Structures are given as structure tokens and as C-alpha cells.
Amino acid sequence: MYEIAPKHPFLVGIDSDGCTFDTMELKHKECFIPNIINYYGLQAVSKYARECAEFVNLYSKSRGINRFPALIEALEWLQKRPEVIARGVKIEIPPSLRQWLKEETKLGNPALEAKVKASGDKALTECLAWSKAVNKTVDEMVRHVPPFPYVDASLKKLQGKADMIVCSATPNDALKKEWSEHGIDQYVTAICGQEVGTKKEVLTNSQKYAPSHTLMIGDAPGDYSAAKANNCLFYPINPGNEDASWKRFHDEGIDRFLNETFAGEYQKMLLAEFDSYLPEKPSWKGV
């Protein structure tokens, strides 16, 4: 687990995909979902598999969760689709994968590789192959996607006043590549991806700072949950309205955070607005 040595009186955790970079649609629609369809034999119901995976990863309150629980959730929605049942396609969700998710906290390829080596489980081996294929496709596909407007300016404004860490469920190698490609890695003390731990675990570093001196910036309900669990303030980057969210953070959010006027009514307003952006249930009906 990463432990920070505080240099400034404030701490800011920052999510990456969909929050700092406009990469969520690209990664899921071009990298994750085609590999789900391929590795899990969903060609006959590809339309519905795509809809389910997009709902989980992009357009619901599950947005931004780790790839492995997201895979199971997408398959669960797919099981309930009457169109899939009508086509006689049986959707299997491996019990061993469910069990691994219950046991493991560092949900990344290294931990899964160790489990595969120890158990030889066929379903986990297939899941690892899928996950590696996703990483390979992301590495080949995702490039030249700059940070959202006002990200660079916001990080510059915080520089020298707050310690900043990347707090993401994305693999570390991809994070380092994307943050260094655009020169914004210079602002952060550490890049903490899925191999380091969950966002909740990484944000335990907030205990080293005074109350109301820690903030998480994220675009998904899971980011807020991690912040809340560690008594951190939360600034939402609203899905579909990212540019305006970052501009508001730059223009007023940072000053409120540093001046300790962020908590209270301002925080409540941001959370109420954020909650309205993503639904819990999809538009289609299941059985």
C-alpha cells in the first residue's frame, strides 16, 4: 500500500479515465467491449452485450468500477435480457471469479496471475487472457487524448499548496503512459492504479491531514464512496459535462477548498447535482 509523506497541508486525489482524460468512451467501446464479446463468446448477442457493458461502465451508477466486478455486472444484466434468452444463448458467470472478487482487494492482473498459477482454474485463466487482451488493445488504441480543458490549469493552481496523487482503478502502466504523454505527471506525488489497491484503500492517506483538508476528484459514484469512507470532500466531474465541471473547479472549487469553505452547502449542492446524472437501472426491461 502506498503511504504518502505529506509536504503540504492539503491532499487531493484525482481519478483518471473519464475524469482527467476523455478516454472512457474510447476505452470501453473500442477496447473492453470487443474483447468481452470475443473472449466470452457473445457474438450471437453482441448488440445486447454491448448495451449491457456500456450501461455498466459508462451510463449508470456503476460507472468507473474495476473491470472485474464490471464484467460480472454486465454479464448479469445480459442474463436477464429477454432477447438473449429468446436466442438460446446461455450466459455463464464463473463461480470461481465471483469467489476471487470476494477474497482479493488488489483487483489487477498480477493478483489474478498469482491465483491462476496457484489454482489452475480454467475460468480464471480465461478471465486473465481477456484482461491482458484489454490491456494490449488499450496500449495500441489509446493515444493523443489530452486532458480535459482546465485540468492542467487546475493542477498548476494547486501546485505548492496541496499534495496530489492519482487514485484510479486503471492499471499503473496505462496511467503512467497517459499522464507522462501529456506532461501532467509532474504535478503528482504518486500514481496509484489498480495494482496498488482500491481507491478507498489509497485514500486512507487522508488520515495524515487535518479534517476538510482532503479532497477526491472523480466522475463516478464509486469515487464518492471512496472519499466518503475516508471523510474526504468530493468534487464531481459530471459525466457529459466535464469541461464545465473542470472550469468551475478551477474558478471556484479550488479556492473554496483551500479557504475551507467547501464543506457544507457547497458540497451538498455538488453532490445533489452529481446524483442526477447517472441512473441505477437501464432503459430496457429484463426478466
Side-chain angles (χ1 to χ4, degrees):
M1 178 61 60
Y2 171 73
E3 290 196 19
I4 195 168
K7 295 181 180 179
H8 301 97
F10 297 90
L11 173 68
V12 178
I14 312 161
D15 183 42
S16 192
D17 287 339
C19 176
T20 302
F21 297 98
D22 193 7
T23 49
M24 285 283 279
E25 298 264 338
L26 175 62
K27 286 187 177 181
H28 285 285
K29 292 184 177 181
E30 309 300 336
C31 305
F32 277 82
I33 296 172
N35 279 302
I36 292 175
I37 293 168
N38 186 30
Y39 278 81
Y40 285 85
L42 304 176
Q43 288 84 349
V45 290
S46 63
K47 173 184 177 181
Y48 307 107
R50 181 173 293 277
E51 287 178 352
C52 291
E54 287 182 3
F55 175 74
V56 170
N57 291 288
L58 299 172
Y59 309 129
S60 76
K61 292 191 184 300
S62 292
R63 174 185 169 95
I65 65 174
N66 179 277
R67 67 178 62 182
F68 299 108
L71 172 64
I72 285 182
E73 187 175 339
L75 293 175
E76 287 174 338
W77 283 115
L78 195 58
Q79 282 180 329
K80 300 173 184 177
R81 295 292 296 260
E83 304 92 341
V84 174
I85 296 170
R87 283 159 177 75
V89 177
K90 190 174 182 180
I91 307 300
E92 301 283 357
I93 302 177
S96 57
L97 180 56
R98 289 188 187 275
Q99 186 61 35
W100 179 69
L101 293 182
K102 291 179 181 179
E103 298 170 352
E104 183 59 61
T105 59
K106 295 180 176 61
L107 297 177
N109 285 1
L112 185 53
E113 283 185 13
K115 185 66 176 179
V116 167
K117 185 176 180 180
S119 68
D121 184 86
K122 182 180 178 182
L124 295 181
T125 301
E126 291 173 345
C127 186
L128 178 61
W130 163 74
S131 186
K132 287 184 174 181
V134 169
N135 287 358
K136 182 175 183 294
T137 310
V138 168
D139 188 56
E140 294 170 349
M141 174 68 70
V142 182
R143 58 187 181 277
H144 311 317
V145 182
F148 286 110
Y150 285 93
V151 168
D152 189 81
S154 295
L155 299 184
K156 283 180 180 176
K157 191 171 180 179
L158 285 166
Q159 193 175 30
K161 301 179 180 70
D163 298 318
M164 292 177 272
I165 58 175
V166 179
C167 187
S168 171
T170 300
N172 266 57
D173 287 347
L175 290 171
K176 290 175 181 177
K177 177 184 175 183
E178 290 159 14
W179 281 70
S180 63
E181 179 186 357
H182 301 284
I184 59 172
D185 57 331
Q186 63 179 301
Y187 302 117
V188 298
T189 300
I191 293 178
C192 301
Q194 62 179 217
E195 298 90 345
V196 177
T198 65
K199 295 174 185 179
K200 179 180 175 181
E201 290 173 333
V202 171
L203 287 179
T204 58
N205 282 286
S206 64
Q207 298 170 6
K208 300 180 180 181
Y209 298 80
S212 298
H213 279 220
T214 57
L215 174 73
M216 177 67 185
I217 305 172
D219 66 304
D223 299 327
Y224 170 59
S225 296
K228 185 178 180 181
N230 287 284
N231 296 314
C232 298
L233 298 168
F234 181 70
Y235 185 85
I237 302 301
N238 294 320
N241 204 23
E242 295 89 353
D243 291 15
S245 297
W246 274 107
K247 185 178 188 303
R248 179 168 62 183
F249 181 66
H250 176 270
D251 292 349
E252 65 181 41
I254 292 174
D255 293 330
R256 280 185 170 272
F257 176 54
L258 298 177
N259 295 334
E260 299 184 52
T261 58
F262 193 103
E265 291 305 313
Y266 186 71
Q267 175 72 102
K268 290 179 183 177
M269 179 274 292
L270 292 173
L271 292 175
E273 183 183 77
F274 178 57
D275 187 60
S276 70
Y277 272 80
L278 297 169
E280 290 183 1
K281 296 182 180 180
S283 59
W284 68 79
K285 293 184 178 179
V287 295

